[in-house]
Coordinates of all heavy atoms in Angstrom, one line a residue:
M58 N 33.3 -15.1 -23.9 CA 33.1 -15.8 -22.7 C 34.1 -15.2 -21.7 O 35.3 -14.9 -22.0 CB 33.4 -17.3 -22.9 CG 33.4 -18.1 -21.7 SD 32.7 -19.7 -22.1 CE 32.0 -20.1 -20.6
S59 N 33.7 -15.1 -20.4 CA 34.5 -14.5 -19.4 C 35.2 -15.6 -18.6 O 34.7 -16.7 -18.4 CB 33.7 -13.7 -18.4 OG 33.1 -12.6 -19.1
N60 N 36.4 -15.3 -18.1 CA 37.1 -16.2 -17.2 C 37.1 -15.5 -15.8 O 37.3 -14.3 -15.7 CB 38.5 -16.4 -17.7 CG 38.6 -17.2 -18.9 OD1 37.8 -18.2 -19.1 ND2 39.4 -16.8 -19.9
Y61 N 37.0 -16.3 -14.8 CA 37.0 -15.8 -13.4 C 38.1 -16.5 -12.6 O 38.4 -17.6 -12.8 CB 35.6 -16.1 -12.8 CG 34.5 -15.4 -13.4 CD1 33.8 -15.9 -14.5 CD2 34.1 -14.2 -12.8 CE1 32.7 -15.1 -15.0 CE2 33.0 -13.4 -13.4 CZ 32.4 -13.9 -14.5 OH 31.3 -13.2 -15.0
K62 N 38.5 -15.7 -11.6 CA 39.5 -16.2 -10.6 C 38.9 -16.0 -9.3 O 38.5 -14.9 -8.9 CB 40.8 -15.4 -10.7 CG 41.8 -15.8 -9.7 CD 43.1 -14.9 -9.8 CE 44.0 -15.2 -8.7 NZ 45.0 -14.2 -8.6
E63 N 38.8 -17.1 -8.5 CA 38.2 -17.1 -7.2 C 39.2 -16.3 -6.3 O 40.4 -16.6 -6.2 CB 38.0 -18.5 -6.6 CG 37.3 -18.4 -5.2 CD 36.9 -19.8 -4.7 OE1 36.4 -20.6 -5.5 OE2 37.2 -20.0 -3.5
E64 N 38.7 -15.4 -5.5 CA 39.6 -14.6 -4.6 C 39.4 -14.9 -3.1 O 40.4 -15.0 -2.4 CB 39.2 -13.1 -4.8 CG 39.7 -12.5 -6.1 CD 41.2 -12.3 -6.2 OE1 41.7 -11.7 -5.3 OE2 41.8 -12.9 -7.1
R65 N 38.1 -15.2 -2.7 CA 37.9 -15.3 -1.3 C 36.5 -16.0 -1.1 O 35.6 -15.9 -1.9 CB 37.9 -14.0 -0.6 CG 37.9 -14.0 0.9 CD 38.2 -12.6 1.4 NE 38.2 -12.6 2.8 CZ 38.1 -11.6 3.6 NH1 38.1 -10.4 3.1 NH2 38.1 -11.7 4.9
R66 N 36.3 -16.7 0.0 CA 35.0 -17.2 0.4 C 34.6 -16.7 1.8 O 35.5 -16.5 2.7 CB 35.1 -18.7 0.5 CG 35.2 -19.4 -0.9 CD 35.3 -20.9 -0.8 NE 35.3 -21.4 -2.2 CZ 34.4 -22.2 -2.7 NH1 33.5 -22.7 -2.0 NH2 34.5 -22.6 -4.0
F67 N 33.3 -16.4 1.9 CA 32.8 -15.9 3.2 C 31.7 -16.8 3.7 O 30.8 -17.2 2.9 CB 32.1 -14.5 3.0 CG 33.1 -13.5 2.4 CD1 33.2 -13.3 1.1 CD2 33.8 -12.7 3.3 CE1 34.0 -12.3 0.6 CE2 34.6 -11.7 2.8 CZ 34.8 -11.5 1.4
R68 N 31.8 -17.3 4.9 CA 30.7 -18.1 5.5 C 29.7 -17.1 6.1 O 30.1 -16.3 7.0 CB 31.3 -19.0 6.5 CG 30.2 -20.0 7.1 CD 30.8 -21.1 7.9 NE 31.9 -21.8 7.3 CZ 31.7 -22.8 6.4 NH1 30.5 -23.1 6.0 NH2 32.8 -23.4 5.8
C69 N 28.5 -17.1 5.7 CA 27.5 -16.1 6.1 C 26.2 -16.8 6.6 O 26.0 -18.0 6.4 CB 27.0 -15.3 4.9 SG 28.4 -14.4 4.1
Q70 N 25.3 -16.1 7.3 CA 24.1 -16.6 7.8 C 23.0 -15.6 7.5 O 23.2 -14.4 7.5 CB 24.1 -16.8 9.3 CG 25.0 -17.9 9.7 CD 25.0 -18.1 11.2 OE1 24.6 -17.2 12.0 NE2 25.3 -19.3 11.6
D71 N 21.8 -16.1 7.2 CA 20.6 -15.2 7.1 C 20.0 -15.0 8.5 O 20.5 -15.6 9.5 CB 19.6 -15.8 6.0 CG 18.9 -17.1 6.4 OD1 19.0 -17.5 7.6 OD2 18.3 -17.7 5.6
D72 N 18.9 -14.3 8.5 CA 18.3 -14.0 9.8 C 17.7 -15.2 10.5 O 17.5 -15.2 11.7 CB 17.2 -13.0 9.7 CG 17.7 -11.6 9.3 OD1 18.9 -11.3 9.7 OD2 17.0 -10.8 8.7
R73 N 17.5 -16.3 9.8 CA 17.0 -17.5 10.4 C 18.1 -18.5 10.8 O 17.8 -19.6 11.3 CB 16.0 -18.2 9.4 CG 14.7 -17.4 9.2 CD 13.9 -18.0 8.1 NE 14.5 -17.6 6.8 CZ 14.3 -18.2 5.7 NH1 13.6 -19.3 5.6 NH2 14.9 -17.7 4.6
G74 N 19.3 -18.1 10.5 CA 20.4 -19.0 10.9 C 20.9 -19.9 9.8 O 21.9 -20.7 10.0
K75 N 20.3 -19.9 8.6 CA 20.8 -20.7 7.5 C 22.2 -20.3 7.0 O 22.4 -19.1 6.9 CB 19.8 -20.7 6.4 CG 20.2 -21.6 5.2 CD 19.2 -21.6 4.1 CE 19.7 -22.5 2.9 NZ 18.7 -22.4 1.8
T76 N 23.1 -21.2 6.8 CA 24.4 -20.9 6.4 C 24.6 -20.9 4.9 O 24.1 -21.8 4.3 CB 25.4 -21.9 7.1 OG1 25.3 -21.8 8.5 CG2 26.9 -21.6 6.7
Y77 N 25.3 -19.9 4.4 CA 25.6 -19.8 3.0 C 27.1 -19.6 2.9 O 27.7 -19.0 3.8 CB 24.9 -18.6 2.3 CG 23.4 -18.7 2.3 CD1 22.7 -18.3 3.4 CD2 22.8 -19.1 1.1 CE1 21.3 -18.3 3.3 CE2 21.4 -19.1 1.0 CZ 20.7 -18.8 2.1 OH 19.3 -18.8 2.1
V78 N 27.7 -20.0 1.8 CA 29.1 -19.7 1.5 C 29.0 -18.8 0.2 O 28.5 -19.2 -0.8 CB 30.0 -20.9 1.2 CG1 31.4 -20.5 0.8 CG2 30.1 -21.8 2.5
V79 N 29.5 -17.5 0.4 CA 29.6 -16.6 -0.7 C 31.0 -16.5 -1.3 O 32.0 -16.4 -0.5 CB 29.2 -15.2 -0.2 CG1 29.3 -14.1 -1.3 CG2 27.7 -15.2 0.3
I80 N 31.1 -16.7 -2.6 CA 32.4 -16.7 -3.3 C 32.6 -15.3 -3.9 O 31.8 -14.8 -4.7 CB 32.4 -17.8 -4.3 CG1 32.1 -19.1 -3.7 CG2 33.7 -17.8 -5.1 CD1 31.8 -20.2 -4.7
Q81 N 33.7 -14.7 -3.6 CA 34.2 -13.5 -4.3 C 35.0 -13.9 -5.4 O 36.0 -14.6 -5.2 CB 34.9 -12.6 -3.3 CG 35.5 -11.4 -4.0 CD 36.3 -10.5 -3.0 OE1 35.8 -10.2 -1.9 NE2 37.5 -10.2 -3.3
Q82 N 34.7 -13.5 -6.6 CA 35.5 -13.8 -7.8 C 35.8 -12.6 -8.6 O 35.0 -11.7 -8.7 CB 34.8 -14.9 -8.6 CG 33.4 -14.6 -9.1 CD 32.7 -15.8 -9.7 OE1 33.2 -16.9 -9.6 NE2 31.6 -15.5 -10.3
I83 N 36.9 -12.6 -9.4 CA 37.3 -11.5 -10.2 C 37.2 -12.0 -11.7 O 37.7 -13.0 -12.0 CB 38.8 -11.1 -9.9 CG1 38.9 -10.8 -8.4 CG2 39.2 -9.9 -10.8 CD1 38.1 -9.6 -7.9
R84 N 36.5 -11.2 -12.5 CA 36.4 -11.5 -13.9 C 37.7 -10.9 -14.5 O 38.0 -9.7 -14.4 CB 35.2 -10.8 -14.5 CG 35.0 -11.2 -16.0 CD 33.7 -10.7 -16.6 NE 33.5 -9.3 -16.3 CZ 32.3 -8.8 -16.4 NH1 31.2 -9.5 -16.7 NH2 32.1 -7.5 -16.1
I85 N 38.5 -11.8 -15.1 CA 39.8 -11.4 -15.6 C 39.9 -11.3 -17.1 O 40.9 -10.8 -17.6 CB 40.9 -12.4 -15.1 CG1 40.5 -13.8 -15.4 CG2 41.1 -12.2 -13.6 CD1 41.6 -14.8 -15.0
S86 N 38.9 -11.8 -17.8 CA 38.9 -11.6 -19.3 C 37.5 -11.8 -19.8 O 36.6 -12.2 -19.1 CB 39.8 -12.7 -19.9 OG 39.2 -14.0 -19.8
G87 N 37.3 -11.4 -21.0 CA 36.0 -11.5 -21.7 C 35.9 -10.4 -22.7 O 36.7 -9.5 -22.8
Q88 N 34.8 -10.4 -23.5 CA 34.7 -9.5 -24.6 C 34.7 -8.0 -24.2 O 35.3 -7.2 -24.7 CB 33.4 -9.8 -25.4 CG 33.5 -11.0 -26.3 CD 32.2 -11.2 -27.0 OE1 31.1 -10.9 -26.5 NE2 32.3 -11.6 -28.2
N89 N 33.9 -7.7 -23.2 CA 33.7 -6.3 -22.7 C 34.3 -6.1 -21.3 O 33.8 -5.4 -20.5 CB 32.2 -6.0 -22.7 CG 31.7 -6.0 -24.1 OD1 32.3 -5.6 -25.0 ND2 30.5 -6.5 -24.2
A90 N 35.4 -6.7 -21.0 CA 36.1 -6.6 -19.7 C 37.4 -6.0 -19.8 O 38.5 -6.6 -19.7 CB 36.2 -8.0 -19.1
P91 N 37.5 -4.6 -20.0 CA 38.7 -4.0 -20.1 C 39.5 -4.0 -18.8 O 40.7 -3.9 -18.8 CB 38.4 -2.5 -20.5 CG 37.0 -2.4 -20.0 CD 36.3 -3.7 -20.1
S92 N 38.8 -4.0 -17.7 CA 39.5 -4.1 -16.4 C 38.8 -5.1 -15.5 O 37.7 -5.5 -15.7 CB 39.5 -2.7 -15.7 OG 38.2 -2.3 -15.5
P93 N 39.5 -5.7 -14.5 CA 38.9 -6.7 -13.7 C 37.7 -6.2 -13.0 O 37.6 -5.0 -12.6 CB 40.0 -7.0 -12.7 CG 41.3 -6.6 -13.3 CD 40.9 -5.4 -14.2
K94 N 36.7 -7.1 -12.8 CA 35.5 -6.7 -12.1 C 35.2 -7.8 -11.0 O 35.3 -9.0 -11.3 CB 34.3 -6.7 -13.1 CG 33.0 -6.3 -12.4 CD 31.9 -6.3 -13.5 CE 30.6 -5.9 -12.9 NZ 29.7 -6.9 -12.4
T95 N 34.7 -7.4 -9.8 CA 34.4 -8.3 -8.8 C 33.0 -8.7 -8.8 O 32.1 -7.9 -8.9 CB 34.7 -7.7 -7.4 OG1 36.1 -7.3 -7.4 CG2 34.5 -8.6 -6.3
D96 N 32.7 -10.0 -8.7 CA 31.4 -10.6 -8.7 C 31.2 -11.4 -7.5 O 32.3 -12.0 -7.0 CB 31.0 -11.4 -9.9 CG 30.9 -10.6 -11.2 OD1 30.3 -9.5 -11.1 OD2 31.3 -11.1 -12.2
Y97 N 30.0 -11.6 -7.0 CA 29.8 -12.5 -5.8 C 28.6 -13.5 -6.2 O 27.7 -13.1 -6.8 CB 29.3 -11.7 -4.6 CG 30.4 -10.7 -4.2 CD1 30.4 -9.4 -4.7 CD2 31.4 -11.1 -3.3 CE1 31.4 -8.5 -4.3 CE2 32.4 -10.2 -2.9 CZ 32.3 -8.9 -3.4 OH 33.3 -8.0 -3.0
M98 N 28.8 -14.7 -5.7 CA 27.7 -15.7 -5.8 C 27.9 -16.8 -4.7 O 28.9 -16.9 -4.1 CB 27.8 -16.4 -7.2 CG 29.1 -17.2 -7.4 SD 29.3 -17.8 -9.1 CE 27.9 -19.0 -9.2
T99 N 26.8 -17.5 -4.5 CA 26.9 -18.5 -3.5 C 27.4 -19.8 -4.1 O 27.5 -19.9 -5.3 CB 25.5 -18.9 -2.9 OG1 24.7 -19.5 -3.9 CG2 24.8 -17.7 -2.3
E100 N 27.8 -20.8 -3.3 CA 28.3 -22.0 -3.8 C 27.2 -22.7 -4.7 O 27.5 -23.5 -5.6 CB 28.6 -23.0 -2.7 CG 29.9 -22.7 -2.0 CD 30.3 -23.7 -1.0 OE1 29.4 -24.1 -0.2 OE2 31.5 -24.1 -0.9
E101 N 25.9 -22.4 -4.4 CA 24.8 -23.0 -5.2 C 24.6 -22.2 -6.5 O 23.7 -22.6 -7.3 CB 23.5 -23.0 -4.4 CG 23.6 -24.0 -3.2 CD 24.4 -23.4 -2.0 OE1 24.4 -22.2 -1.9 OE2 24.9 -24.3 -1.3
G102 N 25.3 -21.1 -6.8 CA 25.2 -20.4 -8.0 C 24.2 -19.2 -7.9 O 23.9 -18.6 -9.0
E103 N 23.7 -18.9 -6.8 CA 22.8 -17.8 -6.6 C 23.6 -16.5 -6.6 O 24.7 -16.4 -6.0 CB 22.0 -17.9 -5.3 CG 21.2 -19.1 -5.2 CD 20.6 -19.4 -3.9 OE1 21.4 -19.8 -3.0 OE2 19.4 -19.0 -3.6
I104 N 23.1 -15.4 -7.3 CA 23.7 -14.2 -7.4 C 23.6 -13.4 -6.1 O 22.5 -13.3 -5.6 CB 23.2 -13.4 -8.6 CG1 23.4 -14.2 -9.9 CG2 23.8 -12.0 -8.7 CD1 22.7 -13.6 -11.1
V105 N 24.7 -12.7 -5.7 CA 24.7 -12.0 -4.5 C 25.4 -10.6 -4.7 O 26.3 -10.5 -5.5 CB 25.6 -12.8 -3.4 CG1 25.7 -12.0 -2.1 CG2 25.0 -14.2 -3.2
N106 N 24.9 -9.6 -4.1 CA 25.5 -8.3 -4.1 C 26.1 -8.0 -2.8 O 25.5 -8.3 -1.7 CB 24.5 -7.2 -4.4 CG 24.2 -7.0 -5.9 OD1 24.9 -7.6 -6.7 ND2 23.3 -6.1 -6.2
R107 N 27.2 -7.3 -2.8 CA 27.9 -6.9 -1.5 C 27.3 -5.6 -1.1 O 27.3 -4.6 -1.8 CB 29.4 -6.8 -1.7 CG 30.1 -6.5 -0.4 CD 31.1 -7.5 -0.1 NE 31.6 -7.5 1.2 CZ 32.8 -7.8 1.6 NH1 33.6 -8.3 0.7 NH2 33.2 -7.8 2.8
L108 N 26.7 -5.5 0.1 CA 26.1 -4.3 0.7 C 27.2 -3.5 1.4 O 27.2 -2.2 1.2 CB 25.0 -4.6 1.6 CG 23.8 -5.4 1.0 CD1 22.8 -5.7 2.0 CD2 23.2 -4.5 -0.2
D109 N 27.9 -4.1 2.2 CA 29.0 -3.4 3.0 C 30.0 -4.5 3.5 O 29.9 -5.6 3.0 CB 28.4 -2.6 4.1 CG 27.6 -3.4 5.1 OD1 27.9 -4.6 5.3 OD2 26.7 -2.8 5.8
E110 N 30.9 -4.1 4.4 CA 31.9 -5.0 4.8 C 31.4 -6.3 5.4 O 32.0 -7.4 5.3 CB 32.8 -4.3 5.8 CG 34.1 -5.1 6.1 CD 35.0 -4.3 7.0 OE1 35.4 -3.2 6.6 OE2 35.5 -4.9 8.0
D111 N 30.2 -6.2 6.1 CA 29.7 -7.4 6.8 C 28.4 -8.0 6.3 O 27.8 -8.9 6.9 CB 29.4 -7.0 8.3 CG 30.7 -6.6 9.0 OD1 31.7 -7.3 8.8 OD2 30.6 -5.8 9.9
H112 N 27.9 -7.5 5.1 CA 26.6 -7.9 4.6 C 26.5 -8.1 3.1 O 27.1 -7.3 2.4 CB 25.5 -6.9 5.0 CG 25.3 -6.7 6.5 ND1 26.0 -5.7 7.1 CD2 24.6 -7.3 7.4 CE1 25.7 -5.7 8.4 NE2 24.9 -6.7 8.6
F113 N 25.8 -9.1 2.7 CA 25.5 -9.4 1.3 C 24.0 -9.5 1.1 O 23.3 -9.8 2.1 CB 26.1 -10.8 0.9 CG 27.6 -10.8 0.9 CD1 28.3 -11.3 2.0 CD2 28.3 -10.4 -0.2 CE1 29.7 -11.3 2.0 CE2 29.7 -10.5 -0.2 CZ 30.4 -10.9 0.9
L114 N 23.5 -9.2 -0.1 CA 22.1 -9.4 -0.4 C 22.0 -10.5 -1.4 O 22.5 -10.4 -2.5 CB 21.6 -8.1 -1.0 CG 20.1 -8.1 -1.5 CD1 19.2 -8.3 -0.3 CD2 19.8 -6.8 -2.2
L115 N 21.2 -11.5 -1.0 CA 20.9 -12.6 -1.9 C 19.7 -12.2 -2.8 O 18.6 -12.0 -2.3 CB 20.5 -13.9 -1.0 CG 20.3 -15.2 -1.7 CD1 21.5 -15.6 -2.5 CD2 19.9 -16.2 -0.7
L116 N 20.0 -11.9 -4.0 CA 19.1 -11.2 -4.9 C 17.8 -11.8 -5.1 O 16.7 -11.2 -5.0 CB 19.8 -10.9 -6.3 CG 21.0 -9.9 -6.2 CD1 21.6 -9.7 -7.6 CD2 20.5 -8.6 -5.6
L117 N 17.7 -13.1 -5.5 CA 16.4 -13.7 -5.9 C 15.5 -13.8 -4.7 O 14.3 -13.8 -4.8 CB 16.6 -15.0 -6.6 CG 17.2 -15.0 -7.9 CD1 17.4 -16.4 -8.5 CD2 16.4 -14.1 -8.9
E118 N 16.0 -14.0 -3.5 CA 15.2 -14.2 -2.3 C 15.1 -12.9 -1.5 O 14.2 -12.8 -0.6 CB 15.8 -15.3 -1.4 CG 15.8 -16.6 -2.1 CD 16.4 -17.7 -1.2 OE1 16.4 -17.5 0.1 OE2 16.8 -18.8 -1.7
G119 N 15.9 -11.9 -1.8 CA 15.8 -10.7 -1.0 C 16.3 -10.8 0.4 O 16.0 -10.0 1.3
Q120 N 17.1 -11.9 0.7 CA 17.6 -12.1 2.0 C 18.9 -11.4 2.2 O 19.8 -11.3 1.3 CB 17.9 -13.6 2.2 CG 16.7 -14.5 2.3 CD 16.1 -14.5 3.6 OE1 16.7 -14.0 4.6 NE2 14.9 -15.0 3.7
V121 N 19.1 -10.8 3.4 CA 20.4 -10.2 3.8 C 21.2 -11.2 4.5 O 20.7 -11.9 5.5 CB 20.2 -8.9 4.7 CG1 21.5 -8.4 5.1 CG2 19.4 -7.8 3.9
L122 N 22.4 -11.4 4.1 CA 23.3 -12.4 4.7 C 24.3 -11.7 5.5 O 24.9 -10.7 5.1 CB 24.0 -13.3 3.6 CG 23.1 -13.9 2.6 CD1 23.9 -14.7 1.6 CD2 22.0 -14.8 3.3
H123 N 24.6 -12.2 6.7 CA 25.5 -11.5 7.6 C 26.8 -12.3 7.8 O 26.7 -13.6 7.9 CB 24.9 -11.4 9.0 CG 23.5 -10.8 9.0 ND1 23.3 -9.5 9.0 CD2 22.3 -11.4 9.0 CE1 22.0 -9.3 8.9 NE2 21.4 -10.4 8.9
I124 N 27.9 -11.7 7.8 CA 29.2 -12.4 8.1 C 29.4 -12.3 9.6 O 29.6 -11.2 10.2 CB 30.4 -11.7 7.4 CG1 30.2 -11.6 5.9 CG2 31.7 -12.4 7.8 CD1 31.2 -10.8 5.1
P125 N 29.4 -13.5 10.3 CA 29.6 -13.4 11.7 C 31.0 -12.9 12.0 O 31.9 -13.1 11.2 CB 29.5 -14.9 12.1 CG 28.8 -15.6 11.0 CD 29.1 -14.8 9.8
H126 N 31.2 -12.3 13.1 CA 32.5 -11.7 13.5 C 33.4 -12.8 14.1 O 33.3 -13.1 15.3 CB 32.4 -10.5 14.4 CG 31.8 -9.3 13.7 ND1 32.6 -8.5 12.9 CD2 30.6 -8.8 13.7 CE1 31.8 -7.6 12.4 NE2 30.6 -7.8 12.9
I127 N 34.2 -13.4 13.2 CA 35.1 -14.4 13.6 C 36.5 -14.1 13.0 O 36.5 -13.1 12.2 CB 34.7 -15.8 13.2 CG1 34.3 -15.9 11.7 CG2 33.5 -16.3 14.0 CD1 33.9 -17.2 11.1
S128 N 37.5 -14.8 13.3 CA 38.8 -14.5 12.7 C 38.8 -14.6 11.2 O 38.1 -15.4 10.6 CB 39.9 -15.4 13.3 OG 39.7 -16.7 12.8
D129 N 39.6 -13.8 10.5 CA 39.7 -13.9 9.1 C 40.2 -15.2 8.6 O 39.9 -15.5 7.4 CB 40.7 -12.8 8.6 CG 40.0 -11.5 8.4 OD1 38.7 -11.5 8.3 OD2 40.7 -10.5 8.2
T130 N 40.9 -16.0 9.4 CA 41.3 -17.3 8.9 C 40.2 -18.2 8.6 O 40.3 -19.2 7.9 CB 42.3 -17.9 9.9 OG1 41.7 -18.1 11.1 CG2 43.6 -17.1 10.0
D131 N 39.0 -18.0 9.2 CA 37.9 -18.8 9.0 C 37.0 -18.4 7.8 O 36.1 -19.1 7.4 CB 36.9 -18.8 10.2 CG 37.6 -19.5 11.4 OD1 38.5 -20.3 11.2 OD2 37.3 -19.2 12.6
H132 N 37.4 -17.3 7.1 CA 36.6 -16.9 6.0 C 36.9 -17.7 4.8 O 37.9 -17.9 4.3 CB 36.8 -15.4 5.7 CG 36.2 -14.5 6.6 ND1 34.9 -14.0 6.4 CD2 36.5 -14.0 7.8 CE1 34.5 -13.3 7.4 NE2 35.5 -13.2 8.2

């Protein structure tokens, strides 16, 4: 079983304006985890991939989520 440590949260929007919160977490232990690994998911538990600094891909829906350009303190 893996253990995770939450690192950061991002408030994102899809093209229709729906808001999502994406959680960046680090896998810190587990059977096959020799080094930490970063994973992303929404607060609802949907799996997300990071595309670049400003975009995530919501895998099951194929939606691209955008991080609005606001101050880092709001992330």
Side-chain angles (χ1 to χ4, degrees):
M58 176 145 209
S59 296
N60 291 318
Y61 291 88
K62 176 183 172 194
E63 184 176 315
E64 290 287 305
R65 191 170 178 192
R66 289 180 177 237
F67 302 90
R68 187 170 308 279
C69 305
Q70 292 182 335
D71 65 13
D72 289 334
R73 293 173 281 157
K75 182 177 177 183
T76 300
Y77 294 84
V78 174
V79 174
I80 301 167
Q81 175 181 309
Q82 56 189 12
I83 304 297
R84 185 170 51 199
I85 55 175
S86 68
Q88 285 181 325
N89 298 321
S92 61
K94 180 179 183 268
T95 302
D96 290 323
Y97 299 92
M98 63 186 295
T99 67
E100 283 184 319
E101 292 78 27
E103 298 169 282
I104 299 169
V105 180
N106 275 354
R107 184 120 195 212
L108 298 176
D109 59 30
E110 190 173 309
D111 294 326
H112 301 92
F113 293 93
L114 177 64
L115 187 58
L116 293 180
L117 292 178
E118 295 181 21
Q120 291 280 345
V121 174
L122 308 179
H123 312 275
I124 301 173
H126 290 281
I127 53 178
S128 72
D129 270 347
T130 58
D131 293 334
H132 283 272

